[in-house]
Each structure stands twice: as structure tokens, then as C-alpha cells.
Amino acid sequence: GGHMAGAEDDARGAVAQASVLEKDLKDLERLLKADQAAVAAANGGAAGGESARIKQSLRTVLRKLMEAYFNPLNVHKREMRSLLGLLRVALQRHAEIFTGSSTFCVRTFAHLLPLLTCAGLSESVTDTIVWTLCQLSSQLSNAGDPKTFAALCVGIAELVEDVAQVLEIHSCAPGHPHGHGAVLCCFGEAVRRMCDDAGPDTPPQSEHGDGRGSGRGGSGRKQPAKGESRARDVAPVVAPVPDGLAVEVGGSEAAVAVATVACKLLTHALRVGPHVTTGFVSPATARAVSHIVASPVADHPLRRAAVATLRTVATESSARVVPGETCLRAVASALFERARVDLGPAGSVEREGYDGELAACVDAVASAASAVDVAACADAAATASIAIVASGEEACGANLRASALRTLRMSVAAKPALVSALPGLLPHAGSRDVADALIACLHPVFAPKVSTFTEKRRRLGGGDEVWTRGGESGAGPSSAAAWVEECIVSALHQLSPMSLGGSTALSGMVTGQTDWAAAAPRRARAAAGLVRVCAAVGRDRPRLRLSGVSAAHEWLKWARRANDAGDGLVATAFTGVLDAAVSLARMEKTENGASFNEDDLTQDLLLWPWGNGAINEAPAEIRRAAKIASLRASLAAAAARGKASGSTQQSMRQLLQSSVKEPDQGVVAATVSWMPAASLLLGNDPNAGIDMVMNIAANDTATPEVQAAVAVAVGGLAAAGIAVGAKAHADMSLRAKARDAGQRAIVSVGTPEKRAAANDLSAAVSEAVEASGGKVAAKYVVTVESAAQVLAPMLTVDEDDAVAAAALWALPTVFEHAQQHGGANSMRGSSEVSALVTPLALHRAEGVRSALRDAAPALASRGVLLDAATTQTSKESPGDDDIKEEGLALLRRLKATIEAAASDPTMRESALQIFAAAAAALPHLDALTAALIVILHRLDDKDAGVRAAAVNLVRAAASRRGVRPRELLLGNRLLATHLGVALPSHPVMLMTMAEALLDMPDTNLLLEVLPAAVPRLVERQDLDTLKAYAARLGPDFTVGGILHDWCYTAIADLINNGSERSPSAVEACKKFLEKQTGVKLEVLVTDHKKELMRILIRSAGADDASDPQNEAERLQQVLGTLAQLADGTDKPPSVPDFLRPHFTWLVMGDHNDRSGDAAAQRRFLRSLTIMVHLIGPHLPQFAPKVMAHLTSALERPSLLVRNTALAAWLLLVKQLAGHAPDHLRRVAGRVVVAMLPHLPDSVNAGGNERGSRRGSDVGAGVGDDESGVDNASAAAEVIDELVLRSGASCMRGHLARLPMLPACDSLAR
């Protein structure tokens, strides 16, 4: 009775507890809804205290429920599943419950993880638990407790390492799924941090637990279960203890389950917190993941999870963490396993997902592995890769096949002996990717490049060629290569359509069929792939060449007779055979090797896709591929000879007629892309082609793809016409390049590659025409008017993106060839096209704007501007000024597009780049200055991207000129003046220029431009800008002080440019200076006489177009007036006397010019030349200093600098001869020695700098045009002046003391 009463009491207690837990579940649902309402109220502006209280209540209820239901006894109950669902809702909609308490996240994690080892869990429950664990780790990373998250990452890495050891134990003794239990103790640090927190969110610690395991610092994390065999449903140790979370793994199933969740947790942690997690992933962790991937105990879900983990580890971790050899062996094992497993049909989610993950893992591990690692496991990797390919095209995803083939190439490259394994791929060579892989692997073996370090080919006593490598020698190729060659030859023989019906083992491997007629297409594809291999690697292998040529010949005969049944198999084989023939036709012909006979590409063969059997019922992609193959093959046939045979010409005409009538617009586009190369190879008039493509583009059925192909073809036909007009189309080298470019253009329809193919054809034509003499018959030149009939309708803002871009690509080619070979008549109408094109700077598509940027230099070419000038001025021969004006008009149109894009910064940036590209092509300095002013104003743009683009454009302009940005901007008087006026009132522009361009403080930049700005500010009487200067420069600067300190610049401007102004304007400037400074003008001149002399001389030297001697004569009068004002007496000193005390100061004051860019150095040398002229009789006093500067200038790399220095030497000799003959006699030897390096060594060396001893320095370091600079003649002229002209009288009797001169044309008399 007592026992019955006790049982009844227990039952009543259990019922009561169940009712309480059910009530708690309902409370949890109510609290979740209340929390959602509280959060909404808090967002609406109410207090958030209620929400915080509800979250605390939620944690309390959740903790109570987890302790009740998250245990092995209740793991299969409905309430446990309900609690899991509520926990999922809480994680999705109430993440603050978890992010607000890291210890609560760890507690929940500790309750859930051990449940995965319980037997009988449904897949949905398991997936929910794993998802919840991953989400808990995400919330913990966002909880603001990085140390706890780091502890969790450490625990996950330890769990992966431990479970890998458990799997290894089970794999060593298969057949005992329940006999190897183990207890894993993990997450020790995370659990200890949870237990150390005594806050209200932490539940009381459980008092029971055996304490097994002590984390990384204890006796170990894994303990075998003693004396008993436990099933998966044995209760794990759920309670967390201070030493860690102990989870009992009772058998292989439990081990697989724990390993799966461990891999998923590590992958998730690396994705949500890579910056933290990677710090705790060690090589041991990566090695453990690799062992899991390769474990024989692993099932497919575990292997997929482990592959994803290995990929993430290899991607996120450094190469030092990834043990390359171990990881490569693991992925090789996974590849081999995948080759044996059927994961369903193509397109299934499971197959595509796993193949994609495995392919990414293979690529990531291969990238992280070193060359030594690859070589160590090359055998396993190659075997696994071949197994993937051998499983068939339909057995796995294309991305996995591609990764496997990349791995194979990498393995063979690391270990060349593995070529002996490649015959396993021969039956699959019909697939293009396999054939490409075979070519890549075999090319280094069959077509080795002679190297002075690794391989040598030499002749021994008998004259036979042998290969030597690493000190060893042997006749012929290696045994492995010979074996592969034999296999390829044998395979081609067995696959031959003449091989007794093809009943061979290889034929069966290729086709899997016994019926020869049905198997023929697959045999043809395999043979075509092997022929491609022979063509690629058999250049020096006569047997391979012969086998490939013979096989192609036989299969082309089969293709002519074959009929497609509508399934596309024969058409696919036809495409492969023609591609193989094209590959053979590209081979270089040798004396001893067999060559492909282009006559095999007969008319009926090339027209086969348009009239064979039921081919029209085949899939459209297959029909298109066959027709494109015919087009490519026709180019190969035409290019094989210097002139296409009559049958080939007839075939190509028939192809053209059949192709342009195609309903498939893809074939029409390919045909249009084929036409330029075909026109060149056949020697046709390009204007007929222009008319044809114009009709094709005007057809209502023409798609944008066809119209884009037409646009590109117009440029190609223009290039082809030049080749035909120059009779260069018979050149075999050009024909081969035209064939290659045409074939690339055909297959690249609809891709950016078509532009590269067109550019290659144009470049090849230009090179061949130049080599042939450059004379072109005018009737073969495609005029701009003719091309514009096709292109003009495409050059509109509303045109399709691809079409407009293609039309812009074609324009530069048309302009180039018409301008270079057709003359002015051929360029007629180009200005209208230019005006039509410029609005495209505002096209919506970035690709069109980019194409216009590339075409902009062509719009600024001389021919286009000449046509515009002819149209505008009605002159037959416009001058350079007219052309310059049209260039500026082009820039004004492009500037208008920049201003029109005010609302779109991306479009404004593109318009600015287009503007700069056109300006860079204009040769006039005025255009460059105007363009730079426009670009510099964009430094004040409101968009940072536009400002950055402007900075880059200024730097590019400086680089083209061969100067620094500072010299480009401040060395140009107009630019410096403009900047000086604009910068004070444009703070963003000032800051951007100072920081990004000139790397100087704002105030320093203002001080640099202020001297250039003062003359303009005085002329305008601009007090506002002067006040802005004073405000930005600081309290030490005032308007009067600025004008007093820099008045000499304004006075010099009045002296230099006063004649261009009215007397009243000059007088107004003088009064303005006197009023603002409070000083009379004469006093200002006297106080700043030295600065005034320097700026006058420097401004005279800055004029590159003027003669320094003429400038010196002009300054003679100016300085005479200045000397009179400064002296104030009736007898002022002469100009040489006035200049003499200040000569050294004037020379040394130009330090920046002496040490600056080439342009600055030339400015200094011209100023020095002017001073040499002005100093007159006092020159001997300063001659050593002047000669030192001139000698130093002759060492500069720039030809123009040296040429300017030689002109200064010439004037120095003249002045010394006139004023101090004795001094000239003493320094004559130094003059000759300075000239010698710039004279040619002999008569045969020619009369220019390139024949001199300094010829190696030609053009170094400068961007100016130095063509035509003849420094040898300039140096010879100095010696002539010294010996035969002005110095003849004083040098008479002293010539024997001079150094020996070379015998050169420049000195011959």
C-alpha cells in the first residue's frame, strides 16, 4: 500500500509540474507579444523601462523552461519542440534579449549543444538546434562582450579538433559503431566566464557533475567512457561545470552529429566575426577540419559542412595557418569521393550546392598552398582531378570540373612526371575544357623553350640533337612524354572513321555505344579534341602533326557526308571538327612536318550548316555554333595563301549570302564581324562592304547586337581598305593577323573582346602599310562621309548603350586611316560627326561615356579641326590660328556638357574626363591652359569624386609635360594669375589644391600665387580679393602691406604690357598703387629696384617663343629708365654698371628654376642668357660663374635643356670676343672641352645628338616634344664662333693649344 501511495504522489507531482511548465510556455508567448508592443511604444517616444523589465522577465522564463525541457529525458516531447520554436521567434524578432546578456547566450548555447547527441532526433529538430546555435554565436558577437565571444570561438576550435580525433578513432576500428564512447570537455573558458557572473541573468550552478575534463589547461578535453558501451541516447552530462561543458559521444553516429555542428559553428563564426575568430584558428584546427573532410566515417552532410569550413578557413586565414599539403590531400579525397557518388540530376539543389562549395574549397586551398605543398601531394590531386573528369560531363557541375582541371594543371606543373597519367583524359578530349587542360599540361613537355639555366639543346659528336636537363642527357623527349605521344597517336587511329567500324576499347569509353553510326558524332568530337591537342603541342613532333592532319582529313570527309537527325549531335561534332581544322591551319608550316591542306575546307563543307538533313530542327545554339565554325574556317582557308583560291573566294561569297539572310540574328552579327577580315583576305573594295552593313543595320529585324557589330565592322572595313589600297593584303604575316583578329571578332560578338579584336586588326594593318611604303590608292579609303552614313544614326543620346559605344569605338579608326591616307577630302564631314558626338558625354550609360572618353583624342585630331575650320571660315587652306580656334571651340562644347551635368556627379566626372582627354590631344599651349583652368575650377566641386578626378587629371597633364604639378600650375603665368585671383574666394579649391596637388599649407600656396595675382588685382582695383588675401594670410598682412611688398610685379606688368592698355588705364593703376600704399610710384620703384630687375629679366626669359637677344635689347631701354629713376641724378649709370652690383644676386635668386623641372631650367638658362647680354663689358668678372652654370646644364638629361644651354654658350663666346678677347683666349680650352661630348664621334655617326657620346640620354625624363633637336650642330656652331668667326682674331696662334676635335660633318669646312 505504501508503495502505491508513493507512486500516486509522484504521479500527482509530475502532473502538477507539467501544468506549471505549460503555464510558463503560455507566459513566454504572452511576454514575447508584450515585448513587441513595448518596443513599438518605445520607438514611438514612450519610456523604455517597461521594455527592459519585460526582457528581464523573458530571460527568467526562458531559463526555467530550458532547464526543464532541454534535457535528454524531454528531448522528444511536444513541449520541447514548442520551446525551440519560441526560442527561434525570440532570436528573429527579439534579439535584444540575447545581445543584452552575453552570459544568457552562453547558458542557452550550453543547454542546446548536448542535445545533438541524443538518438532519434528528427532532421527538422536537428536543423533547428544547429540554426539556433549559429544565431546565438551571432548575437554573442553583437553583445558588446568581445572576451566572451573570443572564449566561444576558442571553444568551437577546440571542439573541432577533439571531434576530429574521435572520428579518427572510429575510422581505425570500423564495425563497432557503439564501442568507442568518449566525453568531450569544451568551451571551458566560456562556461567559467558564465559561472563567474553572479548577475540576475545567471542561473544557479548545478551541484552535480563529475568534473571530467579540464579544458586546454587541464588533463585533457576528451576522455573515453570506461567499461561500458553507450548508445546514442545515453544521457549526456548537461550541467555546465566550471571546467567546461562535458558532452558524451557514445558512437560513430553521435560523433558525426557533433562533427557536423562543430564545422557549421566554426564556419558561421568565421563569417560573422572573422577579425576575432581567425585569431583562434591554428594550424591544428585547419588540420582537424581536413581530417574530417577525408574521414571515411563521414557521411555526405558532414563532408559538405566540413568542405565549407575548410574553404572558409583557407579564405579568411593567412597562408601560414593553412597546412597546404594536408588540406590538398583532404580536398583530393573529397574530389575522389565526389566522383563516385551520384547526387542526383543536373540542376538539383543538393548537387549544385555541394559542387559549388567543393569547387570553391579546392580553389581556396590551392591558392593558400605553396609550391612545395603542391608538389608533395601532386599525385593524389592529379588522380582525383582525373576521376572527376572521367565521371563525365553530366556527372558533376561545370564549376567543379573547372576547379578539378585547374588542380590537374597545377599538379602537372609542379611534378612534370605526372604527364604519364594524362592518357586517362584522352577519351574525354571532345570536351573543350578537357582539351584545353591537356594542351596546358603537355605544352611544356612537347614544346619546351630553350633555357640557359634549366634546359639546353646541343649537338654531340654525331650531330644528333639531344636534350640535357640538370646534368643528365637523353635522346628525344622523356619516357613519359613519349608514352603520352604514343597514346595520342594510337587514340587518333582507334577513333578514325576508317578503323573497322571503331569497335575498340577506346571507342567504347568515348561513346558507350556499339552502333557505329550512332557513336560516330561522339567519336568525331573526341578525335577533334585530340587534333586540337596535336595542333597546339605538336609543332616539333612530326608524328603528332601527321596524326592530327590525317585525323582531321578523315573526319572532314565524314562531316561532308554526315546528316544531322535533328538532335544536334552531328552538328556539334561538325563544329568540333571544323574548330580542329582551324587549329591545324594556324600551325606554322615546317619543312619536315605535315601541314594541313586548306583545300579540305571545301564549299559544300563550309555550307553544310545551311542545308543538311534535319539540322533546322536542332537546338538554335547548336545551329549557331556550327555556322560560326564555318565562318571561322573560311578565314583560315583564305589566309593560308597569299591570294585566296577561286574555290575559297566562291565559298566565302556563298557564306556571306547565306548568313545575311539568317533569321538568327546571332549568326548575322557574327557574319558582320567576319566581314572586315574577309574583305582584307579577299582584297575586296571596302565601300561595297560599307553599303552592305548599312543595309543590315537598317533592317527592321536588326537587334542591338547586330547594330553594335555593324558599328565595329565599319572601323574594321576602313582598316581593311587601307591594306588593300596599299597592296599589303598579300603579306602572309598580315593575313595571319587578320585571320586571328577576324576569328576572335566572330566569337566575341556581344562582349568587350570585339573591340580588342578590331584594334588589333587596325594596328596590324598600320604596321604592314608602313612597311610596304605607305602609299594607298584613294578609292580604297573609307571616307568619313561614307562611314557617317552608317554611324551617325547610332550616335544619339537615346541610342542603345552597346550600339552607341560600338559606334564611338569605330570613329577613331575611321578618322585615323582617312586622315593619314586619304587627305582632306576623306575627312569631309568629320566636324559634323564631332558635333554629333559631344552630347553623348551626357549619355545615361557609363560604357558610352567611357567610349567617348577614348574617342575624344580623335575628335581633337588635326584633320577634324581642319575640316571644321574649312567649314567655318570657307577657306581652302585654313591656318594654324583657325585650327587653334576650332580646338578651343571643341573644348567649349565639352565644357558645356560638364555644366549641364550639374545634378549628376557621376556624369559630371565622366564629362570632365572626356574634356581632359580632348584637351590633351590638342597641341597648342593655349588649349592646355584653357583646359587646366576648367579642370582646376572642378577642385571646388561639391562632390568629392569629381574633385578627386580633377586632381588626377592635373597630375596626368603634368606627367605628360614631364613636369611636377607645381611647375605646371605656377610656372605658367596665365594659370598662376588666374589661380591667384580665384583661390582666396574659393576655400575648397584652395584646400584641395594645397593638400592633394602641391602638398603644402594653404598660406604657403597663397604666398606662391600672390606675386602673379597682384598685377591683375591692381589692374582691376580688386580690393575685395586683396582683403581676402589679408584675412587668410594672418594679422601681419594688410592690403597696403601686400601691395607695398609686391608692387614690383604690378610695375613690371605695366612696363611689359603698358603699350596694350590705354593711357588712362595705366594712370589709374599708378594712382591705385600710390593710394593703397601711401608711397609715390618713384619711391616704390627705387625701393624695389632689385626685385623689379629680376622679375623683368625672368618674365623675358619665360617667353619660350622669343629670342633672348631681342628680349635683352628691349630690356636695355627699360633698365636704362629704371637706372635713371633709381639714381635720381643727371648722369645715371649705364645699364651694365647698374646691373653689375646685383648680378650675382639675380643669378642666385632663381634657385627653384636651376634645380627644378626641364621647363624651369630652360627658363633660368634663357634669363641667364639675357643677363650675359646685358652685363656687357663686366662679363669677365662673372664668366667663371656663368660657365659653371652652363656646364652643369649640359649634363641635364633633357635635349631641350642642353640645346638652350648651347645657345647660351654661343652668346657667351660672342660677348667675350667683343668685350674681353684676352679672357676668351684663356677660357677657350674650357669651351671646347664642354662642347666635345655633344659632337659625333666621327663622320659616320651623323650630325645629330643621337650619334653623339651622350646619345644614350636622349629624351630621358621629359615630356616635351624633342624631335628635331640637333645639339651636335649647335655645339659645332659654338666652336665655329670661337675659331672662325668672332673669336678668330684673338685665337690666331693659339689653336694648337686647343683639344683635338673629332672628324664630323658638323665641323667639316
Side-chain angles (χ1 to χ4, degrees):
H3 290 293
M4 293 179 62
E8 291 175 359
D9 292 339
D10 291 342
R12 284 194 297 270
V15 171
Q17 184 181 7
S19 63
V20 171
L21 293 174
E22 289 181 3
K23 179 178 178 298
D24 287 339
L25 280 173
K26 293 180 180 179
D27 288 343
L28 179 61
E29 294 182 17
R30 178 182 57 79
L31 288 169
L32 287 174
K33 294 179 181 178
D35 181 61
Q36 190 168 358
V39 170
N43 292 336
E50 179 66 15
S51 177
R53 187 190 62 78
I54 293 174
K55 288 182 174 61
Q56 180 57 43
S57 301
L58 281 169
R59 295 189 192 105
T60 303
V61 175
L62 276 172
R63 182 177 68 243
K64 182 177 179 181
L65 290 171
M66 286 190 296
E67 290 177 351
Y69 288 116
F70 286 170
N71 61 68
L73 297 177
N74 297 322
V75 75
H76 299 295
K77 290 185 177 181
R78 178 179 57 83
E79 290 82 0
M80 184 268 189
R81 294 193 295 275
S82 298
L83 180 57
L84 268 179
L86 291 173
L87 189 60
R88 185 185 186 106
V89 172
L91 281 165
Q92 289 176 332
R93 302 181 183 177
H94 307 273
E96 298 85 358
I97 299 173
F98 303 91
T99 56
S101 175
S102 59
T103 56
F104 186 72
C105 288
V106 175
R107 173 65 68 183
T108 308
F109 192 96
H111 276 295
L112 282 172
L113 180 62
L115 298 181
L116 291 166
T117 62
C118 296
L121 285 181
S122 66
E123 184 177 352
S124 62
V125 171
T126 302
D127 291 343
T128 302
I129 293 175
V130 173
W131 180 88
T132 305
L133 290 171
C134 291
Q135 291 304 308
L136 285 170
S137 65
S138 297
Q139 301 304 333
L140 188 57
S141 70
N142 298 326
D145 189 356
K147 292 185 178 180
T148 303
F149 179 64
L152 183 74
C153 295
V154 172
I156 292 173
E158 292 176 351
L159 182 62
V160 170
E161 296 172 23
D162 289 346
V163 78
Q165 295 183 38
V166 174
L167 288 175
E168 187 175 0
I169 293 172
H170 285 285
S171 65
C172 292
H176 301 282
H178 307 301
H180 297 282
V183 175
L184 304 181
C185 184
C186 48
F187 301 98
E189 179 63 25
V191 171
R192 281 194 292 273
R193 293 185 64 82
M194 179 190 70
C195 294
D196 290 341
D197 190 346
D201 294 334
T202 304
Q205 298 181 23
S206 176
E207 298 298 334
H208 64 279
D210 56 7
R212 285 175 294 183
S214 58
R216 283 195 184 272
S219 58
R221 300 189 306 270
K222 173 173 62 68
Q223 297 287 343
K226 298 181 180 179
E228 53 183 345
S229 172
R230 297 179 180 266
R232 188 181 180 186
D233 59 348
V234 174
V237 182
V238 178
V241 295
D243 286 336
L245 178 66
V247 179
E248 187 172 350
V249 181
S252 60
E253 293 182 9
V256 169
V258 175
T260 303
V261 71
C263 289
K264 290 183 178 179
L265 284 172
L266 182 56
T267 303
H268 189 76
L270 282 167
R271 288 174 179 170
V272 300
H275 56 291
V276 176
T277 311
T278 51
F280 303 104
V281 174
S282 65
T285 309
R287 194 173 292 108
V289 177
S290 301
H291 290 161
I292 296 174
V293 170
S295 175
V297 181
D299 58 5
H300 177 69
L302 171 56
R303 184 166 284 110
R304 178 171 181 176
V307 164
T309 305
L310 184 58
R311 172 208 175 181
T312 309
V313 169
T315 302
E316 299 292 345
S317 303
S318 65
R320 292 178 296 177
V321 174
V322 182
E325 181 180 352
T326 303
C327 294
L328 280 174
R329 291 190 184 277
V331 296
S333 174
L335 285 172
F336 199 79
E337 183 69 21
R338 174 63 185 89
R340 298 187 299 177
V341 176
D342 183 9
L343 294 181
S348 64
V349 176
E350 177 61 29
R351 170 176 152 172
E352 295 299 323
Y354 180 68
D355 286 354
E357 195 67 66
L358 182 55
C361 179
V362 171
D363 293 339
V365 171
S367 298
S370 66
V372 176
D373 296 330
V374 174
C377 56
D379 295 87
T383 303
S385 301
I386 292 174
I388 286 289
V389 176
S391 64
E393 286 185 271
E394 304 299 327
C396 60
N399 51 356
L400 183 58
R401 277 174 62 91
S403 294
L405 290 171
R406 282 194 294 270
T407 304
L408 177 63
R409 290 196 292 268
M410 180 179 65
S411 302
V412 174
K415 192 174 181 180
L418 287 175
V419 294
S420 59
L422 295 180
L425 295 179
L426 299 185
H428 310 280
S431 300
R432 176 170 286 274
D433 56 351
V434 177
D436 291 340
L438 284 170
I439 292 170
C441 292
L442 293 175
H443 192 273
V445 179
F446 285 167
K449 296 180 180 180
V450 177
S451 171
T452 58
F453 298 102
T454 58
E455 289 184 337
K456 297 180 181 178
R457 191 171 66 172
R458 59 188 178 87
R459 293 185 180 275
L460 298 181
D464 297 329
E465 290 186 353
V466 302
W467 287 94
T468 64
R469 179 197 290 266
E472 299 178 0
S473 64
S478 68
S479 58
W483 160 248
V484 175
E485 180 178 2
E486 186 63 34
C487 289
I488 294 174
V489 172
S490 176
L492 285 172
H493 176 71
Q494 294 180 48
L495 291 172
S496 170
M498 307 299 294
S499 60
L500 301 176
S503 56
T504 64
L506 180 63
S507 176
M509 291 176 64
V510 170
T511 63
Q513 302 176 7
T514 56
D515 181 23
W516 187 89
R522 295 185 181 275
R523 290 160 52 85
R525 285 185 61 198
L530 292 177
V531 170
R532 286 186 59 231
V533 174
C534 293
V537 303
R539 180 181 181 277
D540 298 320
R541 297 291 181 270
R543 286 194 67 204
L544 276 182
R545 287 176 67 107
L546 179 60
S547 298
V549 170
S550 300
H553 176 75
E554 297 298 331
W555 282 109
L556 286 172
K557 289 196 298 184
W558 168 84
R560 282 195 291 270
R561 300 189 299 267
N563 291 309
D564 194 276
D567 54 7
L569 291 178
V570 173
T572 302
F574 171 86
T575 301
V577 172
L578 249 64
D579 286 345
V582 169
S583 299
L584 286 174
R586 292 167 57 91
M587 291 183 67
E588 297 181 13
K589 295 184 178 181
T590 60
E591 296 180 1
N592 300 325
S595 299
F596 177 74
N597 186 358
E598 61 276 6
D599 291 336
D600 285 343
L601 299 174
T602 58
Q603 181 175 344
D604 57 340
L605 178 68
L606 295 177
L607 295 174
W608 183 91
W610 279 270
N612 183 273
I615 189 173
N616 290 330
E617 300 176 9
E621 294 80 4
I622 294 178
R623 298 200 308 270
R624 181 184 301 172
K627 293 170 183 177
I628 288 176
S630 289
L631 291 172
R632 296 180 72 241
S634 67
L635 294 180
R641 297 173 181 169
K643 181 179 180 181
S645 63
S647 60
T648 299
Q649 295 184 32
Q650 180 65 23
S651 300
M652 296 181 76
R653 284 193 288 268
Q654 290 292 331
L655 271 179
L656 181 60
Q657 294 175 6
S658 301
S659 299
V660 296
K661 298 176 183 177
E662 267 286 326
D664 184 354
Q665 293 300 297
V667 175
V668 177
T671 305
V672 170
S673 301
W674 167 86
M675 288 178 65
S679 177
L680 187 152
L681 294 173
L682 296 179
N684 291 340
D685 184 354
N687 294 294
I690 293 289
D691 294 338
M692 180 170 288
V693 297
M694 180 171 61
N695 294 332
I696 293 173
N699 196 316
D700 294 337
T701 61
T703 62
E705 182 182 58
V706 172
Q707 291 180 324
V710 166
V712 176
V714 169
L717 288 168
I722 299 303
V724 175
K727 297 182 180 180
H729 63 291
D731 179 74
M732 291 304 296
S733 175
L734 175 60
R735 295 179 74 83
K737 293 177 181 178
R739 173 201 65 201
D740 295 344
Q743 291 175 348
R744 285 171 55 201
I746 291 170
V747 299
S748 63
V749 170
T751 68
E753 176 67 18
K754 63 185 177 185
R755 181 185 183 186
N759 290 339
D760 289 348
L761 176 62
S762 179
V765 167
S766 297
E767 182 182 354
V769 170
E770 184 179 357
S772 66
K775 295 182 179 180
V776 179
K779 70 174 184 177
Y780 290 103
V781 177
V782 175
T783 64
V784 173
E785 285 183 336
S786 176
Q789 294 178 3
V790 183
L791 299 178
M794 304 176 182
L795 298 172
T796 63
V797 176
D798 298 327
E799 184 56 84
D800 179 82
D801 303 352
V803 177
L808 289 170
W809 293 343
L811 278 182
T813 304
V814 174
F815 285 176
E816 175 190 355
H817 293 301
Q819 181 175 226
Q820 187 172 357
H821 303 289
N825 291 333
S826 298
M827 292 297 292
R828 186 178 295 119
S830 58
S831 58
E832 287 83 355
V833 174
S834 175
L836 193 65
V837 162
T838 49
L840 292 181
L842 301 177
H843 198 281
R844 62 186 177 277
E846 169 62 27
V848 177
R849 301 197 298 269
S850 176
L852 179 55
R853 182 182 64 236
D854 296 340
L859 302 180
S861 62
R862 182 177 178 84
V864 178
L865 300 180
L866 187 63
D867 179 67
T870 303
T871 304
Q872 293 295 328
T873 62
S874 300
K875 297 180 181 178
E876 294 185 3
S877 301
D880 287 342
D881 291 340
D882 298 322
I883 295 174
K884 182 195 300 185
E885 182 57 35
E886 291 305 320
L888 294 174
L890 171 64
L891 294 184
R892 285 193 290 270
R893 294 201 306 270
L894 293 174
K895 178 188 175 184
T897 63
I898 302 174
E899 297 168 349
S903 61
D904 189 337
T906 302
M907 191 175 292
R908 192 161 64 250
E909 180 180 344
S910 297
L912 182 64
Q913 292 172 340
I914 294 166
F915 173 88
L922 293 172
H924 310 105
L925 184 60
D926 292 348
L928 173 63
T929 302
L932 283 173
I933 290 174
V934 173
I935 295 171
L936 287 170
H937 272 285
R938 285 299 142 188
L939 295 177
D940 199 34
D941 197 277
K942 58 186 177 181
D943 182 74
V946 177
R947 295 199 298 271
V951 168
N952 291 333
L953 291 172
V954 173
R955 288 175 176 167
S959 177
R960 286 192 301 271
R961 297 283 298 174
V963 298
R964 295 171 296 177
R966 180 186 181 280
E967 174 61 27
L968 178 72
L969 301 179
L970 306 184
N972 184 314
R973 183 175 58 84
L974 292 177
L975 269 179
T977 301
H978 185 86
L979 289 174
V981 173
L983 285 179
S985 56
H986 294 79
V988 177
M989 181 179 178
L990 173 63
M991 180 185 66
T992 305
M993 182 180 295
E995 294 181 0
L997 271 176
L998 304 180
D999 191 22
M1000 63 171 61
D1002 296 359
T1003 54
N1004 287 11
L1005 176 56
L1006 289 175
L1007 290 174
E1008 289 270 2
V1009 298
L1010 181 54
V1014 166
R1016 188 67 59 244
L1017 297 177
V1018 170
E1019 179 186 3
R1020 298 177 181 178
Q1021 301 185 21
D1022 190 349
L1023 279 176
D1024 291 336
T1025 303
L1026 287 169
K1027 291 177 181 179
Y1029 265 111
R1032 290 191 174 277
L1033 290 175
D1036 295 336
F1037 290 85
T1038 63
V1039 172
I1042 289 174
L1043 289 177
H1044 184 276
D1045 291 344
W1046 282 282
C1047 65
Y1048 60 87
T1049 61
I1051 297 171
D1053 182 66
L1054 291 175
I1055 294 173
N1056 289 327
N1057 304 309
S1059 60
E1060 301 174 3
R1061 303 176 191 173
S1062 64
S1064 60
V1066 173
E1067 189 64 27
C1069 292
K1070 293 179 181 179
K1071 291 182 178 180
F1072 180 78
L1073 278 174
E1074 291 178 346
K1075 178 181 178 181
Q1076 297 299 324
T1077 60
V1079 181
K1080 291 293 185 180
L1081 184 65
E1082 293 79 4
V1083 178
L1084 291 175
V1085 171
T1086 304
D1087 291 345
H1088 296 86
K1089 61 181 179 181
K1090 291 198 303 182
E1091 292 83 0
L1092 192 54
M1093 281 191 291
R1094 183 168 67 184
I1095 195 170
L1096 288 171
I1097 293 172
R1098 185 172 182 178
S1099 61
D1103 190 353
D1104 201 1
S1106 62
D1107 184 1
Q1109 294 191 46
N1110 295 336
E1111 289 295 313
E1113 293 172 358
R1114 182 182 66 84
L1115 281 178
Q1116 190 88 24
Q1117 298 178 355
V1118 174
L1119 293 179
T1121 304
L1122 181 61
Q1124 186 175 3
L1125 287 174
D1127 184 71
T1129 63
D1130 296 336
K1131 295 182 179 180
S1134 65
V1135 170
D1137 293 338
F1138 179 64
L1139 190 63
R1140 178 181 179 183
H1142 313 296
F1143 188 91
T1144 302
W1145 180 85
L1146 292 171
V1147 172
M1148 300 305 294
D1150 288 338
H1151 169 74
N1152 290 333
D1153 286 350
R1154 295 199 313 274
S1155 59
D1157 311 282
Q1161 293 166 12
R1162 294 181 63 208
R1163 182 168 59 238
F1164 166 73
L1165 291 172
R1166 285 193 297 269
S1167 298
L1168 183 61
T1169 304
I1170 293 172
M1171 285 190 285
V1172 167
H1173 189 283
L1174 294 173
I1175 199 65
H1178 302 300
L1179 180 59
Q1181 178 183 348
F1182 305 103
K1185 184 180 295 293
V1186 172
M1187 295 175 67
H1189 284 302
L1190 296 182
T1191 302
S1192 175
L1194 291 177
E1195 300 296 324
R1196 302 294 183 182
S1198 169
L1199 288 180
L1200 287 173
V1201 170
R1202 300 207 294 264
N1203 189 264
T1204 305
L1206 289 170
W1209 274 104
L1210 181 63
L1211 179 63
L1212 177 69
V1213 170
K1214 290 180 179 179
Q1215 289 291 90
L1216 287 176
H1219 296 287
D1222 293 339
H1223 190 82
L1224 177 62
R1225 192 181 303 116
R1226 289 195 295 271
V1227 300
R1230 291 183 58 187
V1231 174
V1232 173
V1233 169
M1235 297 301 109
L1236 284 177
H1238 305 277
L1239 293 170
D1241 291 330
S1242 64
V1243 176
N1244 296 330
N1248 56 36
E1249 181 72 1
R1250 297 183 185 275
S1252 70
R1253 298 182 180 98
R1254 298 190 54 82
S1256 60
D1257 295 333
V1258 171
V1262 290
D1264 294 314
D1265 182 13
E1266 297 190 339
S1267 59
V1269 177
D1270 189 359
N1271 284 345
S1273 296
E1277 188 177 358
V1278 174
I1279 294 179
D1280 285 350
E1281 190 71 29
L1282 174 66
V1283 176
L1284 300 178
R1285 296 176 186 168
S1286 60
S1289 59
C1290 63
M1291 292 302 299
R1292 189 174 294 112
H1294 297 274
L1295 294 179
R1297 302 177 184 178
L1298 296 180
M1300 183 68 68
L1301 298 176
C1304 59
D1305 291 340
S1306 302
L1307 295 176
R1309 289 292 184 270

